[in-house]
Amino acid sequence: MKRRIPNPFEKIFSYSIMSRLDESASFTSTSHERAWLKRMLEHPAASGAFTAETLGKLRGLLTAEDDLSFSGGFVEKAGAAGRPLYHPLLRPLRRMILAGSGMRLTIRTRSGLEFTRQPGFPYKLEYSMARREWYLLWYHRDEQTLLTTKLDTVLGVYAEPVSETETAAALGRIKDILDARREQALIEVLPAYRRELSRILYAFSCFDKEVIYEEAQEVYRIRLTYLSDEAEYVLSKLRFLGKRVRVVEGPRLQQRMLESARLALGRYGQG
C-alpha cells in the first residue's frame, strides 16, 4: 500500500485560509452540522436559549438546508424523564462573564442553609452530560477561592461593577488555582486498535489533549490535560475503553487502574 506524501504547499494554503477565517471571527461548517443545528433549533429550549431576533436570524440562514430526520431510524425505550436543557440564569451569567463583571450571588446549600449576596466573579459555565445539570465556576472575592456551584441551587444573582485592577487580580488568581489543579497523563493507543482512534479521541473530547504519532513505533499517544477533580471521570473513560489503551505516564491514574484490576480479579478471578 502506497503512502501519500504530504504536499507542503497544500498545508501552507490551508493554514493561510484558516488564519484569515480566525482573524475575521468566522468558522467553517459542514452541511451535516448545519442540518443538525437546524434540527436543534426546533427544540422548545431554543426559544429560551436565544433572543427572538437571534433565533429568527439563525432559522432564516438555515432555511435552505436539508432537514435532519430521525423518524424510523431510532426508537427510544424506557427513557429517563427529561430535564430542561436551558437554565434561565445562563443568559445573565454569560453576559457577566463576557463583560468581565463582578456579581452578588445568593445560594442555598443541600442542608437548606442560605448564603446571601456573596461577592463573586463568574468565570465559566459548564454542563455535566452525566448529571444533565448546569454548573457555575466562580471566584469568591472575599475568600479568594474557586468554587463550583450547581445553577439549581442559585436563588438569585445580579451584576456588580468591579475595577479593572480587581478583575485582573481575580483572573490571575483563577489561573494560578487552575494551574495548581491541572494534571497530565500520557495514554497510548495499542497498535491493534489504531483504526478506532476517532472513537478513542471522542471519549476524551471534553479535555485538552495533544495527539502524538511516534513514527518509529507507529504508535499514537494522547497527552491529556485535566483538573484533579476530573480524574474519576478520566478513569471511567479508561475503563470503558478497556484494552484499547494503556496509561504510559500519570502515576495517579496508573495506581487507580491497578487497584481496579486487583478488585476485579479478587471478585471474579479463580483460585
Side-chain angles (χ1 to χ4, degrees):
M1 181 178 178
K2 293 183 179 180
R3 180 176 293 181
R4 181 178 179 270
I5 300 174
N7 185 344
F9 296 101
E10 181 180 324
K11 289 186 176 181
I12 293 171
F13 180 70
S14 298
Y15 176 78
S16 176
I17 291 177
M18 295 307 297
S19 298
R20 291 180 182 178
L21 287 173
D22 289 340
E23 290 171 0
S24 62
S26 302
F27 66 93
T28 58
S29 61
T30 65
S31 58
H32 183 77
E33 289 170 339
R34 293 191 295 274
W36 176 86
L37 177 58
K38 182 179 180 180
R39 175 76 179 194
M40 293 302 103
L41 292 179
E42 296 175 3
H43 195 282
S47 59
F50 299 97
T51 62
E53 181 183 358
T54 302
L55 187 59
K57 186 174 183 179
L58 286 172
R59 285 174 173 168
L61 291 171
L62 298 169
T63 302
E65 299 297 329
D66 295 334
D67 292 327
L68 186 63
S69 176
F70 298 113
S71 59
F74 298 90
V75 177
E76 183 178 0
K77 295 183 178 180
R83 303 186 66 171
L85 295 176
Y86 181 77
H87 196 283
L89 291 178
L90 287 177
R91 189 178 296 168
L93 284 170
R94 186 166 51 198
R95 288 175 177 170
M96 292 179 204
I97 292 171
L98 291 173
S101 169
M103 67 176 182
R104 288 282 176 170
L105 202 65
T106 298
I107 312 166
R108 182 184 62 247
T109 64
R110 291 181 181 178
S111 60
L113 294 175
E114 290 187 11
F115 294 89
T116 60
R117 303 182 71 251
Q118 298 297 301
F121 187 86
Y123 179 68
K124 185 187 292 185
L125 289 162
E126 295 180 340
Y127 184 75
S128 170
M129 292 296 294
R131 299 177 181 177
R132 298 183 181 275
E133 292 177 326
W134 281 99
Y135 290 82
L136 171 66
L137 190 64
W138 62 287
Y139 178 75
H140 198 295
R141 303 199 319 260
D142 285 350
E143 299 179 4
Q144 297 186 356
T145 55
L146 194 61
L147 304 171
T148 301
T149 300
K150 190 188 302 184
L151 283 193
D152 284 343
T153 65
V154 177
L155 302 179
V157 60
Y158 62 88
E160 182 178 61
V162 292
S163 66
E164 292 183 3
T165 303
E166 189 175 359
T167 298
L171 289 173
R173 177 61 179 153
I174 290 171
K175 182 180 182 302
D176 292 341
I177 293 172
L178 291 177
D179 287 344
R181 292 182 184 177
R182 282 194 176 93
E183 296 184 9
Q184 282 195 340
L186 188 62
I187 300 167
E188 183 177 284
V189 180
L190 298 189
Y193 298 96
R194 281 186 301 177
R195 292 185 177 181
E196 298 187 41
L197 180 63
S198 59
R199 177 190 178 187
I200 294 168
L201 290 175
Y202 179 76
F204 301 115
S205 59
C206 57
F207 298 105
D208 291 333
K209 56 190 173 296
E210 177 189 1
V211 181
I212 306 163
Y213 179 64
E214 300 287 350
E215 191 170 357
Q217 295 84 19
E218 296 187 344
V219 168
Y220 283 98
R221 289 178 175 173
I222 306 166
R223 185 167 297 282
L224 209 63
T225 303
Y226 55 93
L227 298 180
S228 56
D229 58 358
E230 296 172 334
E232 291 299 322
Y233 185 73
V234 176
L235 282 166
S236 70
K237 292 299 181 182
L238 290 171
R239 296 187 188 108
F240 168 74
L241 293 171
K243 59 184 180 181
R244 296 172 180 82
V245 297
R246 70 185 182 97
V247 182
V248 179
E249 295 177 8
R252 181 182 176 187
L253 290 183
Q254 289 175 329
Q255 182 62 31
R256 290 300 307 277
M257 290 298 290
L258 184 60
E259 290 173 2
S260 298
R262 285 173 177 167
L263 288 171
L265 286 172
R267 180 170 297 178
Y268 302 106
Q270 296 180 354

